[in-house]
Amino acid sequence: MSQSRFRPDVRPASRADLAGAYTKDIAHSLARMVLKRRHRTSDVVDSEYNSGTWSKILKDRAWLLAPTLEQFLVGDNADARLAKVDGRIVQLSYRDYYRYRIGALSELIARHVDAADSLLEIGTGFGYNLFALSLDPRWRRLRGLDISANGIEAGRQIASHFRLSDRVTFGRIDLTDPADPGFAELAGATVLTYFCLEQIPHLVEKVIENILRAGPARVVNIEPSIHMLSLTKPRDFASRVYIESMDYQTRLFKFLDELNDKGEIRVVARERMEFAPTLHNDGFLCVWEPANIVVAR
Ligand SMILES: C[S@@+](CC[C@H](N)C(=O)[O-])C[C@H]1O[C@@H](n2cnc3c(N)ncnc32)[C@H](O)[C@@H]1O
């Protein structure tokens, strides 16, 4: 990073804070499971993202009011929240969390991509992660692909507004369609998914096969997992019921282990994420490479 990493002023969450927050969180998830159990089809994903969050982002154009890209990413919400920072659940303001996250994400990705200076995020939304990474001059080219037309359009407008259109670019892909022309961009690329495969729970193996067939140099998956959770810990239990209630994917990491055992991929790193915006959104990282890399990075 060009600037020194932001260290937020945090207050450790008390046992009482945590007990109350976990109880509420778990109760919400259980109620969702009972009252409106979701089946995460592409229509549900479209209504939550393309016609939902990304449509609102595009309509609001909040970047026009932000003096800098960093301020757009960080926002101005000073309310306190519980979040995971450096592996601990703490109290801090929303804006401090998002300022901290810029450095935390940059360091995490840098640790896992060797000397790559370009990155392709699939399921990028409007490119929040790519814009955060663009604050680090090490990245020459940041490319985001998504199925959502509104996400792509917002990303393009943000890049243009902050004069980043030469470094941060966007295009379309449907990861479930093996014939999608967007897969050509994965050949030889360092590829990131960040809470994207979670949205495609019923086709996760097919999507990984599509990615593998496209010949990436390296893939960094940052996604939820259930089989790395320990259900005796309240945080893991909260994540587990949340994932089930939202019908997010649960099979990715097991499938990657199977491909590794069969010699089709080589898993080169795994870790649990040290940061998360909520109690239940714990992510895990798995970095892998196709066993037979044919295209130079
Ligand atoms: C939870 S959002 C994450 C966005 C981004 N990675 C981030 O961290 O801000 C999931 C994204 O996956 C995209 N997505 C879902 N299904 C997809 C598919 N079949 N092909 C490509 N993108 C898809 C959605 O449109 C959405 O933008």
Side-chain angles (χ1 to χ4, degrees), residues 42 45 49-50 54 101 121-129 145-148 151 173-177 193-200 207 248:
S42 55
V45 175
Y49 287 95
N50 185 49
W54 303 153
R101 185 191 186 275
E121 183 182 4
I122 49 179
T124 194
F126 70 91
Y128 186 93
N129 295 321
L145 303 179
D146 202 282
I147 198 170
S148 162
I173 196 167
D174 177 357
L175 293 166
T176 65
D177 176 3
T193 74
Y194 197 102
F195 292 84
C196 158
L197 303 185
E198 72 166 13
Q199 301 291 331
I200 317 172
V207 170
Y248 288 151

PDB file of all heavy atoms in Angstrom, residues 42 45 49-50 54 101 121-129 145-148 151 173-177 193-200 207 248, ligand 1:
ATOM      1  N   SER A  42     -31.459 -18.234  -9.707  1.00  0.00           N
ATOM      2  CA  SER A  42     -30.914 -17.032 -10.348  1.00  0.00           C
ATOM      3  C   SER A  42     -31.896 -15.854 -10.250  1.00  0.00           C
ATOM      4  O   SER A  42     -31.476 -14.694 -10.203  1.00  0.00           O
ATOM      5  CB  SER A  42     -30.538 -17.319 -11.803  1.00  0.00           C
ATOM      6  OG  SER A  42     -31.654 -17.826 -12.467  1.00  0.00           O
ATOM      7  N   VAL A  45     -31.279 -14.246  -6.886  1.00  0.00           N
ATOM      8  CA  VAL A  45     -30.014 -13.483  -6.920  1.00  0.00           C
ATOM      9  C   VAL A  45     -30.225 -12.183  -7.694  1.00  0.00           C
ATOM     10  O   VAL A  45     -29.772 -11.118  -7.272  1.00  0.00           O
ATOM     11  CB  VAL A  45     -28.887 -14.340  -7.555  1.00  0.00           C
ATOM     12  CG1 VAL A  45     -27.617 -13.517  -7.708  1.00  0.00           C
ATOM     13  CG2 VAL A  45     -28.630 -15.575  -6.713  1.00  0.00           C
ATOM     14  N   TYR A  49     -29.582  -8.553  -6.045  1.00  0.00           N
ATOM     15  CA  TYR A  49     -28.421  -7.766  -6.499  1.00  0.00           C
ATOM     16  C   TYR A  49     -28.737  -6.892  -7.710  1.00  0.00           C
ATOM     17  O   TYR A  49     -28.842  -5.679  -7.593  1.00  0.00           O
ATOM     18  CB  TYR A  49     -27.209  -8.686  -6.738  1.00  0.00           C
ATOM     19  CG  TYR A  49     -26.681  -9.136  -5.403  1.00  0.00           C
ATOM     20  CD1 TYR A  49     -27.085 -10.352  -4.854  1.00  0.00           C
ATOM     21  CD2 TYR A  49     -25.874  -8.304  -4.643  1.00  0.00           C
ATOM     22  CE1 TYR A  49     -26.669 -10.725  -3.584  1.00  0.00           C
ATOM     23  CE2 TYR A  49     -25.459  -8.673  -3.379  1.00  0.00           C
ATOM     24  CZ  TYR A  49     -25.854  -9.876  -2.861  1.00  0.00           C
ATOM     25  OH  TYR A  49     -25.452 -10.224  -1.605  1.00  0.00           O
ATOM     26  N   ASN A  50     -28.939  -7.487  -8.881  1.00  0.00           N
ATOM     27  CA  ASN A  50     -29.119  -6.651 -10.067  1.00  0.00           C
ATOM     28  C   ASN A  50     -30.278  -5.656  -9.909  1.00  0.00           C
ATOM     29  O   ASN A  50     -30.081  -4.448 -10.069  1.00  0.00           O
ATOM     30  CB  ASN A  50     -29.342  -7.539 -11.295  1.00  0.00           C
ATOM     31  CG  ASN A  50     -29.413  -6.728 -12.558  1.00  0.00           C
ATOM     32  OD1 ASN A  50     -28.545  -5.885 -12.804  1.00  0.00           O
ATOM     33  ND2 ASN A  50     -30.448  -6.912 -13.333  1.00  0.00           N
ATOM     34  N   TRP A  54     -27.581  -3.382  -6.451  1.00  0.00           N
ATOM     35  CA  TRP A  54     -26.784  -2.684  -7.484  1.00  0.00           C
ATOM     36  C   TRP A  54     -27.628  -1.634  -8.216  1.00  0.00           C
ATOM     37  O   TRP A  54     -27.122  -0.588  -8.621  1.00  0.00           O
ATOM     38  CB  TRP A  54     -26.182  -3.668  -8.486  1.00  0.00           C
ATOM     39  CG  TRP A  54     -25.314  -4.757  -7.919  1.00  0.00           C
ATOM     40  CD1 TRP A  54     -25.112  -5.984  -8.492  1.00  0.00           C
ATOM     41  CD2 TRP A  54     -24.507  -4.769  -6.720  1.00  0.00           C
ATOM     42  NE1 TRP A  54     -24.254  -6.745  -7.723  1.00  0.00           N
ATOM     43  CE2 TRP A  54     -23.882  -6.034  -6.632  1.00  0.00           C
ATOM     44  CE3 TRP A  54     -24.273  -3.858  -5.696  1.00  0.00           C
ATOM     45  CZ2 TRP A  54     -23.032  -6.392  -5.588  1.00  0.00           C
ATOM     46  CZ3 TRP A  54     -23.430  -4.216  -4.633  1.00  0.00           C
ATOM     47  CH2 TRP A  54     -22.822  -5.455  -4.605  1.00  0.00           C
ATOM     48  N   ARG A 101     -10.784  -2.067   6.391  1.00  0.00           N
ATOM     49  CA  ARG A 101     -10.927  -3.165   5.435  1.00  0.00           C
ATOM     50  C   ARG A 101     -10.086  -2.937   4.167  1.00  0.00           C
ATOM     51  O   ARG A 101      -9.609  -3.889   3.548  1.00  0.00           O
ATOM     52  CB  ARG A 101     -12.412  -3.317   5.059  1.00  0.00           C
ATOM     53  CG  ARG A 101     -12.705  -4.514   4.159  1.00  0.00           C
ATOM     54  CD  ARG A 101     -14.133  -4.414   3.632  1.00  0.00           C
ATOM     55  NE  ARG A 101     -14.560  -5.567   2.877  1.00  0.00           N
ATOM     56  CZ  ARG A 101     -14.315  -5.740   1.580  1.00  0.00           C
ATOM     57  NH1 ARG A 101     -13.618  -4.851   0.907  1.00  0.00           N
ATOM     58  NH2 ARG A 101     -14.781  -6.820   0.955  1.00  0.00           N
ATOM     59  N   GLU A 121     -11.636 -10.196 -10.972  1.00  0.00           N
ATOM     60  CA  GLU A 121     -12.642 -10.648  -9.998  1.00  0.00           C
ATOM     61  C   GLU A 121     -13.909 -11.053 -10.742  1.00  0.00           C
ATOM     62  O   GLU A 121     -14.473 -10.257 -11.502  1.00  0.00           O
ATOM     63  CB  GLU A 121     -12.992  -9.562  -8.964  1.00  0.00           C
ATOM     64  CG  GLU A 121     -13.978 -10.121  -7.926  1.00  0.00           C
ATOM     65  CD  GLU A 121     -14.458  -9.143  -6.862  1.00  0.00           C
ATOM     66  OE1 GLU A 121     -14.108  -7.958  -6.911  1.00  0.00           O
ATOM     67  OE2 GLU A 121     -15.195  -9.606  -5.966  1.00  0.00           O
ATOM     68  N   ILE A 122     -14.341 -12.291 -10.522  1.00  0.00           N
ATOM     69  CA  ILE A 122     -15.597 -12.739 -11.144  1.00  0.00           C
ATOM     70  C   ILE A 122     -16.693 -12.689 -10.079  1.00  0.00           C
ATOM     71  O   ILE A 122     -16.471 -13.071  -8.933  1.00  0.00           O
ATOM     72  CB  ILE A 122     -15.447 -14.126 -11.802  1.00  0.00           C
ATOM     73  CG1 ILE A 122     -14.789 -15.151 -10.872  1.00  0.00           C
ATOM     74  CG2 ILE A 122     -14.664 -14.016 -13.096  1.00  0.00           C
ATOM     75  CD1 ILE A 122     -14.650 -16.543 -11.477  1.00  0.00           C
ATOM     76  N   GLY A 123     -17.861 -12.165 -10.490  1.00  0.00           N
ATOM     77  CA  GLY A 123     -18.914 -11.890  -9.505  1.00  0.00           C
ATOM     78  C   GLY A 123     -18.521 -10.659  -8.710  1.00  0.00           C
ATOM     79  O   GLY A 123     -18.629 -10.612  -7.493  1.00  0.00           O
ATOM     80  N   THR A 124     -18.099  -9.629  -9.442  1.00  0.00           N
ATOM     81  CA  THR A 124     -17.510  -8.441  -8.804  1.00  0.00           C
ATOM     82  C   THR A 124     -18.546  -7.436  -8.312  1.00  0.00           C
ATOM     83  O   THR A 124     -18.218  -6.511  -7.583  1.00  0.00           O
ATOM     84  CB  THR A 124     -16.556  -7.756  -9.809  1.00  0.00           C
ATOM     85  OG1 THR A 124     -15.736  -6.814  -9.146  1.00  0.00           O
ATOM     86  CG2 THR A 124     -17.319  -7.059 -10.941  1.00  0.00           C
ATOM     87  N   GLY A 125     -19.817  -7.596  -8.735  1.00  0.00           N
ATOM     88  CA  GLY A 125     -20.824  -6.577  -8.401  1.00  0.00           C
ATOM     89  C   GLY A 125     -20.475  -5.270  -9.099  1.00  0.00           C
ATOM     90  O   GLY A 125     -20.247  -5.247 -10.310  1.00  0.00           O
ATOM     91  N   PHE A 126     -20.369  -4.165  -8.333  1.00  0.00           N
ATOM     92  CA  PHE A 126     -19.929  -2.897  -8.952  1.00  0.00           C
ATOM     93  C   PHE A 126     -18.442  -2.670  -8.723  1.00  0.00           C
ATOM     94  O   PHE A 126     -17.917  -1.596  -9.001  1.00  0.00           O
ATOM     95  CB  PHE A 126     -20.764  -1.704  -8.449  1.00  0.00           C
ATOM     96  CG  PHE A 126     -20.510  -1.321  -7.012  1.00  0.00           C
ATOM     97  CD1 PHE A 126     -19.549  -0.375  -6.673  1.00  0.00           C
ATOM     98  CD2 PHE A 126     -21.243  -1.909  -5.990  1.00  0.00           C
ATOM     99  CE1 PHE A 126     -19.332  -0.013  -5.348  1.00  0.00           C
ATOM    100  CE2 PHE A 126     -21.038  -1.552  -4.662  1.00  0.00           C
ATOM    101  CZ  PHE A 126     -20.071  -0.614  -4.336  1.00  0.00           C
ATOM    102  N   GLY A 127     -17.742  -3.709  -8.229  1.00  0.00           N
ATOM    103  CA  GLY A 127     -16.286  -3.620  -8.145  1.00  0.00           C
ATOM    104  C   GLY A 127     -15.775  -3.014  -6.848  1.00  0.00           C
ATOM    105  O   GLY A 127     -14.647  -2.493  -6.815  1.00  0.00           O
ATOM    106  N   TYR A 128     -16.558  -3.125  -5.758  1.00  0.00           N
ATOM    107  CA  TYR A 128     -16.106  -2.525  -4.492  1.00  0.00           C
ATOM    108  C   TYR A 128     -14.687  -2.988  -4.152  1.00  0.00           C
ATOM    109  O   TYR A 128     -13.814  -2.176  -3.797  1.00  0.00           O
ATOM    110  CB  TYR A 128     -17.078  -2.887  -3.343  1.00  0.00           C
ATOM    111  CG  TYR A 128     -16.730  -2.174  -2.059  1.00  0.00           C
ATOM    112  CD1 TYR A 128     -17.328  -0.962  -1.735  1.00  0.00           C
ATOM    113  CD2 TYR A 128     -15.763  -2.684  -1.189  1.00  0.00           C
ATOM    114  CE1 TYR A 128     -16.977  -0.281  -0.574  1.00  0.00           C
ATOM    115  CE2 TYR A 128     -15.411  -2.009  -0.035  1.00  0.00           C
ATOM    116  CZ  TYR A 128     -16.024  -0.816   0.275  1.00  0.00           C
ATOM    117  OH  TYR A 128     -15.663  -0.137   1.419  1.00  0.00           O
ATOM    118  N   ASN A 129     -14.437  -4.284  -4.263  1.00  0.00           N
ATOM    119  CA  ASN A 129     -13.096  -4.801  -3.908  1.00  0.00           C
ATOM    120  C   ASN A 129     -12.031  -4.257  -4.854  1.00  0.00           C
ATOM    121  O   ASN A 129     -10.922  -3.927  -4.423  1.00  0.00           O
ATOM    122  CB  ASN A 129     -13.079  -6.335  -3.982  1.00  0.00           C
ATOM    123  CG  ASN A 129     -13.984  -6.943  -2.946  1.00  0.00           C
ATOM    124  OD1 ASN A 129     -14.059  -6.461  -1.818  1.00  0.00           O
ATOM    125  ND2 ASN A 129     -14.695  -7.995  -3.327  1.00  0.00           N
ATOM    126  N   LEU A 145     -15.867  -8.962 -13.689  1.00  0.00           N
ATOM    127  CA  LEU A 145     -16.943  -9.528 -14.509  1.00  0.00           C
ATOM    128  C   LEU A 145     -18.111  -9.882 -13.594  1.00  0.00           C
ATOM    129  O   LEU A 145     -17.901 -10.339 -12.469  1.00  0.00           O
ATOM    130  CB  LEU A 145     -16.467 -10.800 -15.236  1.00  0.00           C
ATOM    131  CG  LEU A 145     -15.238 -10.676 -16.151  1.00  0.00           C
ATOM    132  CD1 LEU A 145     -14.903 -12.038 -16.760  1.00  0.00           C
ATOM    133  CD2 LEU A 145     -15.465  -9.645 -17.255  1.00  0.00           C
ATOM    134  N   ASP A 146     -19.326  -9.700 -14.105  1.00  0.00           N
ATOM    135  CA  ASP A 146     -20.506 -10.030 -13.311  1.00  0.00           C
ATOM    136  C   ASP A 146     -21.662 -10.281 -14.270  1.00  0.00           C
ATOM    137  O   ASP A 146     -21.631  -9.866 -15.434  1.00  0.00           O
ATOM    138  CB  ASP A 146     -20.864  -8.875 -12.353  1.00  0.00           C
ATOM    139  CG  ASP A 146     -21.701  -9.344 -11.177  1.00  0.00           C
ATOM    140  OD1 ASP A 146     -22.929  -9.554 -11.358  1.00  0.00           O
ATOM    141  OD2 ASP A 146     -21.140  -9.513 -10.071  1.00  0.00           O
ATOM    142  N   ILE A 147     -22.686 -10.949 -13.743  1.00  0.00           N
ATOM    143  CA  ILE A 147     -23.893 -11.184 -14.557  1.00  0.00           C
ATOM    144  C   ILE A 147     -24.815  -9.968 -14.515  1.00  0.00           C
ATOM    145  O   ILE A 147     -25.694  -9.832 -15.363  1.00  0.00           O
ATOM    146  CB  ILE A 147     -24.627 -12.448 -14.042  1.00  0.00           C
ATOM    147  CG1 ILE A 147     -25.602 -12.978 -15.090  1.00  0.00           C
ATOM    148  CG2 ILE A 147     -25.322 -12.186 -12.701  1.00  0.00           C
ATOM    149  CD1 ILE A 147     -26.168 -14.344 -14.747  1.00  0.00           C
ATOM    150  N   SER A 148     -24.611  -9.072 -13.562  1.00  0.00           N
ATOM    151  CA  SER A 148     -25.549  -7.969 -13.330  1.00  0.00           C
ATOM    152  C   SER A 148     -25.227  -6.736 -14.177  1.00  0.00           C
ATOM    153  O   SER A 148     -24.178  -6.106 -14.004  1.00  0.00           O
ATOM    154  CB  SER A 148     -25.510  -7.573 -11.840  1.00  0.00           C
ATOM    155  OG  SER A 148     -26.074  -6.290 -11.673  1.00  0.00           O
ATOM    156  N   GLY A 151     -24.749  -3.697 -11.916  1.00  0.00           N
ATOM    157  CA  GLY A 151     -23.450  -3.705 -11.242  1.00  0.00           C
ATOM    158  C   GLY A 151     -22.355  -3.224 -12.191  1.00  0.00           C
ATOM    159  O   GLY A 151     -21.543  -2.347 -11.852  1.00  0.00           O
ATOM    160  N   ILE A 173     -20.286 -11.733 -17.456  1.00  0.00           N
ATOM    161  CA  ILE A 173     -20.125 -13.186 -17.526  1.00  0.00           C
ATOM    162  C   ILE A 173     -21.290 -13.832 -16.779  1.00  0.00           C
ATOM    163  O   ILE A 173     -21.784 -13.278 -15.790  1.00  0.00           O
ATOM    164  CB  ILE A 173     -18.783 -13.648 -16.910  1.00  0.00           C
ATOM    165  CG1 ILE A 173     -18.463 -15.083 -17.345  1.00  0.00           C
ATOM    166  CG2 ILE A 173     -18.792 -13.567 -15.376  1.00  0.00           C
ATOM    167  CD1 ILE A 173     -17.035 -15.523 -17.044  1.00  0.00           C
ATOM    168  N   ASP A 174     -21.738 -14.982 -17.299  1.00  0.00           N
ATOM    169  CA  ASP A 174     -22.620 -15.840 -16.502  1.00  0.00           C
ATOM    170  C   ASP A 174     -21.798 -17.081 -16.173  1.00  0.00           C
ATOM    171  O   ASP A 174     -21.532 -17.917 -17.050  1.00  0.00           O
ATOM    172  CB  ASP A 174     -23.887 -16.213 -17.294  1.00  0.00           C
ATOM    173  CG  ASP A 174     -24.771 -17.175 -16.497  1.00  0.00           C
ATOM    174  OD1 ASP A 174     -24.366 -17.587 -15.384  1.00  0.00           O
ATOM    175  OD2 ASP A 174     -25.851 -17.517 -16.998  1.00  0.00           O
ATOM    176  N   LEU A 175     -21.406 -17.185 -14.919  1.00  0.00           N
ATOM    177  CA  LEU A 175     -20.494 -18.268 -14.518  1.00  0.00           C
ATOM    178  C   LEU A 175     -21.121 -19.647 -14.650  1.00  0.00           C
ATOM    179  O   LEU A 175     -20.409 -20.657 -14.657  1.00  0.00           O
ATOM    180  CB  LEU A 175     -20.044 -18.044 -13.066  1.00  0.00           C
ATOM    181  CG  LEU A 175     -19.162 -16.818 -12.868  1.00  0.00           C
ATOM    182  CD1 LEU A 175     -19.050 -16.475 -11.377  1.00  0.00           C
ATOM    183  CD2 LEU A 175     -17.776 -17.069 -13.461  1.00  0.00           C
ATOM    184  N   THR A 176     -22.447 -19.693 -14.778  1.00  0.00           N
ATOM    185  CA  THR A 176     -23.097 -21.006 -14.870  1.00  0.00           C
ATOM    186  C   THR A 176     -23.149 -21.505 -16.315  1.00  0.00           C
ATOM    187  O   THR A 176     -23.528 -22.642 -16.549  1.00  0.00           O
ATOM    188  CB  THR A 176     -24.545 -20.960 -14.322  1.00  0.00           C
ATOM    189  OG1 THR A 176     -25.325 -20.112 -15.159  1.00  0.00           O
ATOM    190  CG2 THR A 176     -24.578 -20.441 -12.897  1.00  0.00           C
ATOM    191  N   ASP A 177     -22.796 -20.636 -17.281  1.00  0.00           N
ATOM    192  CA  ASP A 177     -22.902 -21.010 -18.695  1.00  0.00           C
ATOM    193  C   ASP A 177     -21.510 -21.346 -19.250  1.00  0.00           C
ATOM    194  O   ASP A 177     -20.704 -20.448 -19.497  1.00  0.00           O
ATOM    195  CB  ASP A 177     -23.519 -19.835 -19.474  1.00  0.00           C
ATOM    196  CG  ASP A 177     -23.583 -20.111 -20.958  1.00  0.00           C
ATOM    197  OD1 ASP A 177     -23.209 -21.232 -21.390  1.00  0.00           O
ATOM    198  OD2 ASP A 177     -23.991 -19.196 -21.700  1.00  0.00           O
ATOM    199  N   THR A 193     -12.680 -14.756  -6.410  1.00  0.00           N
ATOM    200  CA  THR A 193     -14.121 -14.683  -6.109  1.00  0.00           C
ATOM    201  C   THR A 193     -14.243 -14.240  -4.660  1.00  0.00           C
ATOM    202  O   THR A 193     -13.473 -14.696  -3.805  1.00  0.00           O
ATOM    203  CB  THR A 193     -14.886 -16.017  -6.291  1.00  0.00           C
ATOM    204  OG1 THR A 193     -14.580 -16.923  -5.215  1.00  0.00           O
ATOM    205  CG2 THR A 193     -14.611 -16.660  -7.628  1.00  0.00           C
ATOM    206  N   TYR A 194     -15.180 -13.353  -4.410  1.00  0.00           N
ATOM    207  CA  TYR A 194     -15.369 -12.834  -3.047  1.00  0.00           C
ATOM    208  C   TYR A 194     -16.864 -12.868  -2.768  1.00  0.00           C
ATOM    209  O   TYR A 194     -17.623 -12.031  -3.258  1.00  0.00           O
ATOM    210  CB  TYR A 194     -14.821 -11.399  -2.965  1.00  0.00           C
ATOM    211  CG  TYR A 194     -14.582 -10.918  -1.556  1.00  0.00           C
ATOM    212  CD1 TYR A 194     -13.294 -10.885  -1.016  1.00  0.00           C
ATOM    213  CD2 TYR A 194     -15.636 -10.491  -0.755  1.00  0.00           C
ATOM    214  CE1 TYR A 194     -13.073 -10.438   0.281  1.00  0.00           C
ATOM    215  CE2 TYR A 194     -15.417 -10.059   0.545  1.00  0.00           C
ATOM    216  CZ  TYR A 194     -14.137 -10.030   1.047  1.00  0.00           C
ATOM    217  OH  TYR A 194     -13.921  -9.582   2.338  1.00  0.00           O
ATOM    218  N   PHE A 195     -17.302 -13.854  -2.016  1.00  0.00           N
ATOM    219  CA  PHE A 195     -18.721 -14.024  -1.703  1.00  0.00           C
ATOM    220  C   PHE A 195     -19.568 -13.934  -2.977  1.00  0.00           C
ATOM    221  O   PHE A 195     -20.576 -13.246  -3.015  1.00  0.00           O
ATOM    222  CB  PHE A 195     -19.169 -13.016  -0.639  1.00  0.00           C
ATOM    223  CG  PHE A 195     -18.550 -13.297   0.713  1.00  0.00           C
ATOM    224  CD1 PHE A 195     -17.288 -12.830   1.034  1.00  0.00           C
ATOM    225  CD2 PHE A 195     -19.225 -14.076   1.639  1.00  0.00           C
ATOM    226  CE1 PHE A 195     -16.699 -13.121   2.261  1.00  0.00           C
ATOM    227  CE2 PHE A 195     -18.645 -14.368   2.873  1.00  0.00           C
ATOM    228  CZ  PHE A 195     -17.375 -13.895   3.179  1.00  0.00           C
ATOM    229  N   CYS A 196     -19.093 -14.627  -4.022  1.00  0.00           N
ATOM    230  CA  CYS A 196     -19.855 -14.723  -5.276  1.00  0.00           C
ATOM    231  C   CYS A 196     -20.402 -16.131  -5.434  1.00  0.00           C
ATOM    232  O   CYS A 196     -21.588 -16.316  -5.686  1.00  0.00           O
ATOM    233  CB  CYS A 196     -18.941 -14.365  -6.449  1.00  0.00           C
ATOM    234  SG  CYS A 196     -19.553 -15.029  -8.002  1.00  0.00           S
ATOM    235  N   LEU A 197     -19.534 -17.150  -5.257  1.00  0.00           N
ATOM    236  CA  LEU A 197     -20.020 -18.529  -5.434  1.00  0.00           C
ATOM    237  C   LEU A 197     -21.086 -18.852  -4.388  1.00  0.00           C
ATOM    238  O   LEU A 197     -21.913 -19.731  -4.599  1.00  0.00           O
ATOM    239  CB  LEU A 197     -18.856 -19.524  -5.356  1.00  0.00           C
ATOM    240  CG  LEU A 197     -17.725 -19.278  -6.364  1.00  0.00           C
ATOM    241  CD1 LEU A 197     -16.688 -20.381  -6.271  1.00  0.00           C
ATOM    242  CD2 LEU A 197     -18.259 -19.179  -7.778  1.00  0.00           C
ATOM    243  N   GLU A 198     -21.062 -18.114  -3.268  1.00  0.00           N
ATOM    244  CA  GLU A 198     -22.110 -18.316  -2.255  1.00  0.00           C
ATOM    245  C   GLU A 198     -23.499 -18.165  -2.861  1.00  0.00           C
ATOM    246  O   GLU A 198     -24.465 -18.742  -2.385  1.00  0.00           O
ATOM    247  CB  GLU A 198     -21.951 -17.329  -1.085  1.00  0.00           C
ATOM    248  CG  GLU A 198     -22.312 -15.902  -1.438  1.00  0.00           C
ATOM    249  CD  GLU A 198     -22.487 -14.946  -0.252  1.00  0.00           C
ATOM    250  OE1 GLU A 198     -22.101 -15.291   0.870  1.00  0.00           O
ATOM    251  OE2 GLU A 198     -23.009 -13.835  -0.491  1.00  0.00           O
ATOM    252  N   GLN A 199     -23.570 -17.365  -3.942  1.00  0.00           N
ATOM    253  CA  GLN A 199     -24.862 -17.062  -4.561  1.00  0.00           C
ATOM    254  C   GLN A 199     -25.324 -18.133  -5.547  1.00  0.00           C
ATOM    255  O   GLN A 199     -26.401 -18.041  -6.115  1.00  0.00           O
ATOM    256  CB  GLN A 199     -24.763 -15.727  -5.321  1.00  0.00           C
ATOM    257  CG  GLN A 199     -24.372 -14.542  -4.466  1.00  0.00           C
ATOM    258  CD  GLN A 199     -25.462 -14.161  -3.484  1.00  0.00           C
ATOM    259  OE1 GLN A 199     -26.644 -14.368  -3.748  1.00  0.00           O
ATOM    260  NE2 GLN A 199     -25.067 -13.624  -2.347  1.00  0.00           N
ATOM    261  N   ILE A 200     -24.449 -19.116  -5.811  1.00  0.00           N
ATOM    262  CA  ILE A 200     -24.775 -20.123  -6.832  1.00  0.00           C
ATOM    263  C   ILE A 200     -24.688 -21.503  -6.174  1.00  0.00           C
ATOM    264  O   ILE A 200     -23.929 -22.376  -6.610  1.00  0.00           O
ATOM    265  CB  ILE A 200     -23.791 -20.003  -8.035  1.00  0.00           C
ATOM    266  CG1 ILE A 200     -23.553 -18.528  -8.408  1.00  0.00           C
ATOM    267  CG2 ILE A 200     -24.321 -20.762  -9.242  1.00  0.00           C
ATOM    268  CD1 ILE A 200     -22.470 -18.306  -9.445  1.00  0.00           C
ATOM    269  N   VAL A 207     -19.712 -24.605 -11.764  1.00  0.00           N
ATOM    270  CA  VAL A 207     -19.019 -23.323 -11.923  1.00  0.00           C
ATOM    271  C   VAL A 207     -17.508 -23.509 -11.747  1.00  0.00           C
ATOM    272  O   VAL A 207     -16.705 -22.978 -12.528  1.00  0.00           O
ATOM    273  CB  VAL A 207     -19.579 -22.271 -10.930  1.00  0.00           C
ATOM    274  CG1 VAL A 207     -18.721 -21.019 -10.911  1.00  0.00           C
ATOM    275  CG2 VAL A 207     -21.007 -21.917 -11.297  1.00  0.00           C
ATOM    276  N   TYR A 248     -27.011 -20.144   1.064  1.00  0.00           N
ATOM    277  CA  TYR A 248     -25.719 -19.903   0.428  1.00  0.00           C
ATOM    278  C   TYR A 248     -25.012 -21.237   0.205  1.00  0.00           C
ATOM    279  O   TYR A 248     -25.355 -22.251   0.826  1.00  0.00           O
ATOM    280  CB  TYR A 248     -24.846 -19.002   1.318  1.00  0.00           C
ATOM    281  CG  TYR A 248     -25.301 -17.563   1.354  1.00  0.00           C
ATOM    282  CD1 TYR A 248     -25.057 -16.776   2.473  1.00  0.00           C
ATOM    283  CD2 TYR A 248     -25.958 -16.973   0.280  1.00  0.00           C
ATOM    284  CE1 TYR A 248     -25.460 -15.446   2.527  1.00  0.00           C
ATOM    285  CE2 TYR A 248     -26.373 -15.650   0.325  1.00  0.00           C
ATOM    286  CZ  TYR A 248     -26.120 -14.894   1.445  1.00  0.00           C
ATOM    287  OH  TYR A 248     -26.523 -13.594   1.486  1.00  0.00           O
TER     288      TYR A 248
HETATM  289  C1  LIG B   1     -22.616 -10.985  -2.702  1.00  0.00           C
HETATM  290  S1  LIG B   1     -22.304 -10.205  -4.228  1.00  0.00           S
HETATM  291  C2  LIG B   1     -20.552  -9.974  -4.100  1.00  0.00           C
HETATM  292  C3  LIG B   1     -20.040  -8.874  -4.980  1.00  0.00           C
HETATM  293  C4  LIG B   1     -18.543  -8.585  -4.815  1.00  0.00           C
HETATM  294  N1  LIG B   1     -17.740  -9.755  -4.963  1.00  0.00           N
HETATM  295  C5  LIG B   1     -18.269  -7.911  -3.486  1.00  0.00           C
HETATM  296  O1  LIG B   1     -17.627  -8.512  -2.619  1.00  0.00           O
HETATM  297  O2  LIG B   1     -18.679  -6.739  -3.339  1.00  0.00           O
HETATM  298  C6  LIG B   1     -22.422 -11.576  -5.370  1.00  0.00           C
HETATM  299  C7  LIG B   1     -22.274 -11.193  -6.842  1.00  0.00           C
HETATM  300  O3  LIG B   1     -22.267 -12.398  -7.628  1.00  0.00           O
HETATM  301  C8  LIG B   1     -22.930 -12.108  -8.859  1.00  0.00           C
HETATM  302  N2  LIG B   1     -23.376 -13.350  -9.485  1.00  0.00           N
HETATM  303  C9  LIG B   1     -24.341 -14.200  -9.041  1.00  0.00           C
HETATM  304  N3  LIG B   1     -24.527 -15.200  -9.923  1.00  0.00           N
HETATM  305  C10 LIG B   1     -23.653 -14.996 -10.941  1.00  0.00           C
HETATM  306  C11 LIG B   1     -23.364 -15.692 -12.151  1.00  0.00           C
HETATM  307  N4  LIG B   1     -24.047 -16.787 -12.506  1.00  0.00           N
HETATM  308  N5  LIG B   1     -22.392 -15.212 -12.952  1.00  0.00           N
HETATM  309  C12 LIG B   1     -21.707 -14.076 -12.605  1.00  0.00           C
HETATM  310  N6  LIG B   1     -21.949 -13.365 -11.489  1.00  0.00           N
HETATM  311  C13 LIG B   1     -22.906 -13.818 -10.660  1.00  0.00           C
HETATM  312  C14 LIG B   1     -24.083 -11.216  -8.431  1.00  0.00           C
HETATM  313  O4  LIG B   1     -24.630 -10.499  -9.519  1.00  0.00           O
HETATM  314  C15 LIG B   1     -23.402 -10.329  -7.384  1.00  0.00           C
HETATM  315  O5  LIG B   1     -22.883  -9.177  -7.980  1.00  0.00           O
END
